[in-house]
Amino acid sequence: GCLAGNRQCVEDRWTAECGECLPGYVDEGGNCKSLDSCDGIDCNGLGFCEVRGSVARCICEPGYVNETGMGCVDPFVTNAWLPVVEPGEEITFYQGIDSWDAAKPCHPVTISSPYAIQRYEVSVAEYGRCARAGACEPSTWCNLGEVREVIGDDPGQHPVVCVSHLMASRYCAWVGGTLPSESQWEYAALELAECNDERLYPWGSTEISGEFANYLDGWNPFQASEFPFGSSGGPTTPVGFFDGSLRLKSDSGWVGSSESFQTQDNRSHVGAYDMAGNVSEWVIDCWNEGYLGNAPTDGSPQTGSGVTCERRVKKGEGWPDIAAALYPEYRAAKLALNRLDFMGFRCAKPLD
């Protein structure tokens, strides 16, 4: 990948190519060579440069993140809205899976209301901007687990956790959207043209491994045995960490001893990362045991009679979950008031 050659990755929805050298590197004869000096690196005026492990890198001010290849940036620049259903488009897909009681029956859903979803799970830096603006309650404590806002050298790029369903909803409203419905989330994760009991993942049929996602059975350098969460999995990985590139400890600041880690690209068909693993994600829907009876078939959330709104649906599963649960059809319930160290979210919004 581009990062292995120390170059920026320039991508759109369908293509990616290598661009200029990363900050801290200089092009010499077509090769990007490391700078061991901060000369000429201004971090966009949003932080300061420091040499770590013979590589110059940006240490960003609170509320900004060190995006590889861009220096310190506003996190809203990197967490793009991805079109899922375009205006004038109508899609039909199959939701659910018959081999799991809580997710059956598999059934067709037709979505004609255009919408977009965020590329990444909402990060600590993004949520912190909302909290500092007074529009969101700070994520400072958990019913279960720890907030974990200090992980590695750049905690702002990790997904925010310990947010209740209401806290997540308020953040999404602040950025002009809502939490996605369960159907919207599942279609963005997996485009099924027919019912299928075979295990498929957002990236396709390639079997899951720790190079694709952050989960209990996998391994990545943020899960190093010397880190105190080794017995129960975790902690989180930065949003978009699994992008097919060779990751370097000097850039990511993990706690493990490995100097590099090869990832696989876990993007879904619309370009959304971490739709399996890292953190579980809130969606709008109230909990219902399966899809029998009153499950919507138009992509809208399930919030009517016969459902339990004290509990809400979570999708995606996260770092404490086993591989068998990391498929997009999987669904489970959590109390809406709970603030858990494995629960995060991403937002959706209508498209004009």
Side-chain angles (χ1 to χ4, degrees):
C2 299
L3 294 183
N6 302 316
R7 290 189 178 276
Q8 300 179 32
C9 180
V10 181
E11 63 178 355
D12 56 26
R13 183 172 177 180
W14 304 113
T15 62
E17 59 183 20
C18 297
E20 297 178 356
C21 295
L22 300 175
Y25 294 83
V26 63
D27 193 328
E28 293 185 3
N31 297 314
C32 294
K33 295 187 177 181
S34 172
L35 287 175
D36 56 6
S37 168
C38 286
D39 292 346
I41 301 176
D42 66 0
C43 302
N44 297 328
L46 300 172
F48 63 91
C49 179
E50 183 174 290
V51 177
R52 297 189 178 185
S54 76
V55 176
R57 65 186 299 247
C58 292
I59 309 299
C60 302
E61 296 177 359
Y64 296 89
V65 297
N66 180 24
E67 181 73 8
T68 302
M70 298 173 67
C72 296
V73 299
D74 187 323
F76 299 115
V77 173
T78 61
N79 200 358
W81 292 102
L82 302 171
V84 181
V85 176
E86 301 274 8
E89 182 182 15
E90 181 177 273
I91 63 93
T92 297
F93 79 108
Y94 283 80
Q95 181 175 351
I97 189 167
D98 290 332
S99 59
W100 175 253
D101 286 345
K104 69 180 186 182
C106 175
H107 60 285
V109 173
T110 298
I111 302 177
S112 57
S113 298
Y115 74 99
I117 200 164
Q118 287 182 310
R119 182 192 304 269
Y120 304 125
E121 293 159 332
V122 173
S123 70
V124 169
E126 288 173 282
Y127 190 87
R129 294 284 290 276
C130 182
R132 283 189 290 276
C136 292
E137 180 182 349
S139 172
T140 54
W141 62 273
C142 264
N143 293 85
L144 176 65
E146 302 180 22
V147 176
R148 299 187 191 173
E149 290 194 355
V150 182
I151 305 172
D153 291 335
D154 199 359
Q157 288 186 303
H158 287 251
V160 68
V161 294
C162 301
V163 287
S164 68
H165 191 271
L166 178 61
M167 291 167 69
S169 297
R170 285 177 173 168
Y171 174 88
C172 289
W174 186 65
V175 296
T178 66
L179 288 172
S181 72
E182 185 174 0
S183 296
Q184 287 176 327
W185 190 99
E186 192 165 320
Y187 177 69
L190 185 64
E191 183 182 26
L192 279 186
E194 59 183 6
C195 291
N196 192 334
D197 281 342
E198 295 181 11
R199 191 59 51 80
L200 296 174
Y201 299 96
W203 56 85
S205 58
T206 303
E207 187 60 35
I208 194 170
S209 72
E211 293 180 347
F212 275 104
N214 180 12
Y215 63 101
L216 181 61
D217 299 345
W219 181 88
N220 65 69
F222 286 89
Q223 292 179 314
S225 59
E226 59 264 36
F227 201 73
F229 302 104
S231 62
S232 59
T236 56
T237 44
V239 297
F241 181 76
F242 298 94
D243 64 355
S245 67
L246 179 67
R247 294 291 186 171
L248 304 177
K249 183 174 183 177
S250 58
D251 290 330
S252 299
W254 55 64
V255 295
S257 57
S258 299
E259 293 300 319
S260 64
F261 181 74
Q262 179 62 54
T263 66
Q264 299 298 321
D265 193 341
N266 75 7
R267 281 181 295 178
S268 73
H269 67 106
V270 301
Y273 288 90
D274 294 330
M275 301 295 274
N278 210 14
V279 293
S280 297
E281 299 181 23
W282 290 115
V283 294
I284 295 177
D285 299 58
C286 303
W287 177 250
N288 190 27
E289 298 284 351
Y291 297 121
L292 286 172
N294 59 350
T297 59
D298 61 356
S300 59
Q302 195 165 210
T303 55
S305 62
V307 295
T308 305
C309 288
E310 290 80 8
R311 293 189 295 166
R312 299 280 179 155
V313 176
K314 72 181 181 93
K315 301 284 285 184
E317 297 309 271
W319 59 263
D321 297 299
I322 61 174
L326 266 72
Y327 54 100
E329 299 96 334
Y330 186 89
R331 59 197 297 271
K334 288 297 175 186
L335 289 173
L337 294 176
N338 274 357
R339 300 166 62 154
L340 309 168
D341 67 353
F342 54 83
M343 285 298 304
F345 66 99
R346 76 183 73 214
C347 306
K349 71 172 184 178
L351 291 177
D352 296 329

